[in-house]
Amino acid sequence: LKEVPSVTSEELEENFAPATIRGKNKDNKIKFIIFSPRATTPSPTLRKLATAYSNDVDVVRIHFTEREQGKWKRIYGVESAPAVVVLKSESNEVIVKHGVSGKESLKRLFAEHHLQLIPEITSRSMDDIRCKSGGLTRLCVLLLGDGGNVTETLKLTLSSIKKDLQKERDESNEEQLSALKMSAAAGLENDEIVFAHVDCVKQKRICRAYSFKSNAELRALRFIFDQPGKMSNELFNGNAGDIQKVYEWIGIQFNSEETNRLIQEEVSNALLVQERLDLNTQFEKFRTDVLQTLARVLEETVIIMVEIGPFPIAFMLVLQISLFRFLRNRKFAKMRQNVPSANTVDVSTFSALDTNDVVMNLSEISESTKALTKSVYVVLQFINSREKGPVAEQIQDLQALAKKFQSERLLRFAYVDLDQNVSWKSFVNDVGENSVCVWHPSKLKYEKLGNSCAEDEVRIKLDAVLDGSANWEKEVKDNAWFHSSNTSLNGKKK
């Protein structure tokens, strides 16, 4: 996952001040500033979002202190933490959202604001912008330009219009124009109107397909609901700087009938210059292609089986299964070379590392396998197999808790049998015999979640850990975590 760097107040003022960011933002990315009430590590959710939107967004975080509250209120309008500031350089927007900290609220904020106010159409952003048929979009207000002065003037005009439409509907002196504005505002709110621009210096082929001829043009692409793949293409012939004229033109294009329009084929997205994908995106695309290919092979197999019988197909299925197992085994080949033997390592350990709905026995994990848990949070429950009955009965609540969090890939669940692993007894004496604890990935600090996995408080605290709001105990530099495996293995040798 992508790291989310922490910055000082001086670095934030120098590189992320609204007054200076427009000239410095050469990559045209949206800036997200996370104001946190505590100097903690970034939550897994924030790192996931920063990774998913890394092509469009830069994310930094800063510790919000009362001493600097006045400065942040003056520069960004931030009055308290937690808060998120979104800076959009092209439109000089400063968006402040207070109280944003949970997973769902962060996801909504990134999804809504990861593009500029008038976003640029590229092969990667086309689906997000929705300037195409087949969806809710009825009108795409498209700016085609070469980056000159006229292009910038039209972009500012469209930015002003879109900002105005996003505000509360206001009254106008002209009744007709007021009705057009109200209709356009409703269309924007319902995702029926989109605004976008194309850089015709980089995207020459698609600009030619849109009949681009001058330095900058404003066009209205009207998509026909009952005619997929069809559109009309209307050119604005007025003054680029006359906001009222452009406003009125957009309203007319959105509300006019289709009967008088010249209908043509929709311009193909294949004309866009294909951007080079990063390694993570390439891998995800490759994985999707492989899954689609397997689905098609399975479909063809069923058809052939119906036509020629099952016996020739049986051989093909065996061959496919063998190939799948061969590829899967190669993935874990390096891991298995470091495993001592089946006597010292539980074979279920490997499956436990792939999904957190399986509870591990910490004393049966080898050093090489335990190294794989260094990047995740580990929830531990302590049991006594001799005094309190079978292990399976004692860890039932832990297994139920693991299943509730089975979609969280940064969590692992394990139990420690104090009758087998005595190195943990001094720790348990401090926190309580029936305690349930979660350990930080560094294994140097922990938080006690409760005295039973069945408690609601345990689930609530675990959610807080994933959101980056854990109350970690002070660092324990020489704890049982670093000695438990050695103790267990030495005991078995004896």
Side-chain angles (χ1 to χ4, degrees), residues 338-358:
N338 296 325
V339 178
S341 68
N343 296 327
T344 57
V345 180
D346 189 348
V347 294
S348 64
T349 296
F350 294 105
S351 61
L353 292 172
D354 285 336
T355 174
N356 63 16
D357 61 352
V358 178

Side-chain angles (χ1 to χ4, degrees), residues 329-385:
N329 292 339
R330 286 190 62 189
K331 178 180 178 182
F332 297 104
K334 186 174 181 181
M335 179 194 303
R336 289 174 176 172
Q337 289 176 0
N338 296 325
V339 178
S341 68
N343 296 327
T344 57
V345 180
D346 189 348
V347 294
S348 64
T349 296
F350 294 105
S351 61
L353 292 172
D354 285 336
T355 174
N356 63 16
D357 61 352
V358 178
V359 175
M360 302 180 291
N361 183 347
L362 194 64
S363 66
E364 295 179 358
I365 301 177
S366 69
E367 287 298 326
S368 60
T369 310
K370 184 175 290 186
L372 299 177
T373 67
K374 289 185 177 179
S375 61
V376 298
Y377 300 88
V378 179
V379 178
L380 289 185
Q381 179 187 0
F382 301 97
I383 65 170
N384 295 92
S385 58

Side-chain angles (χ1 to χ4, degrees), residues 108-222:
R108 286 194 299 269
L109 189 65
F110 273 77
E112 182 179 357
H113 293 293
H114 72 281
L115 294 174
Q116 296 285 358
L117 191 65
I118 310 297
E120 179 182 356
I121 290 181
T122 63
S123 60
R124 178 176 46 79
S125 65
M126 187 67 184
D127 291 337
D128 285 342
I129 297 174
R130 297 176 290 102
C131 184
K132 59 181 181 179
S133 64
L136 296 176
T137 305
R138 289 172 52 198
L139 177 67
C140 176
V141 182
L142 186 62
L143 168 60
L144 307 171
D146 57 5
N149 293 333
V150 181
T151 302
E152 292 302 316
T153 300
L154 273 173
K155 191 180 294 185
L156 291 175
T157 298
L158 292 183
S159 297
S160 300
I161 292 174
K162 188 173 181 180
K163 287 180 184 178
D164 191 41
L165 291 176
Q166 288 174 337
K167 296 178 182 178
E168 294 291 335
R169 300 173 186 174
D170 56 0
E171 297 181 358
S172 177
N173 296 326
E174 298 177 324
E175 184 177 351
Q176 181 183 5
L177 188 58
S178 176
L180 290 175
K181 287 178 63 175
M182 291 177 64
S183 176
L188 183 65
E189 183 179 0
N190 296 327
D191 295 328
E192 295 178 309
I193 299 179
V194 298
F195 293 80
H197 80 275
V198 177
D199 186 342
C200 290
V201 176
K202 296 187 293 185
Q203 307 286 355
K204 294 179 181 179
R205 289 196 303 167
I206 201 166
C207 285
R208 284 197 297 268
Y210 283 125
S211 304
F212 175 72
K213 296 177 181 178
S214 62
N215 296 329
E217 295 177 357
L218 192 60
R219 292 185 172 271
L221 309 182
R222 182 74 178 266

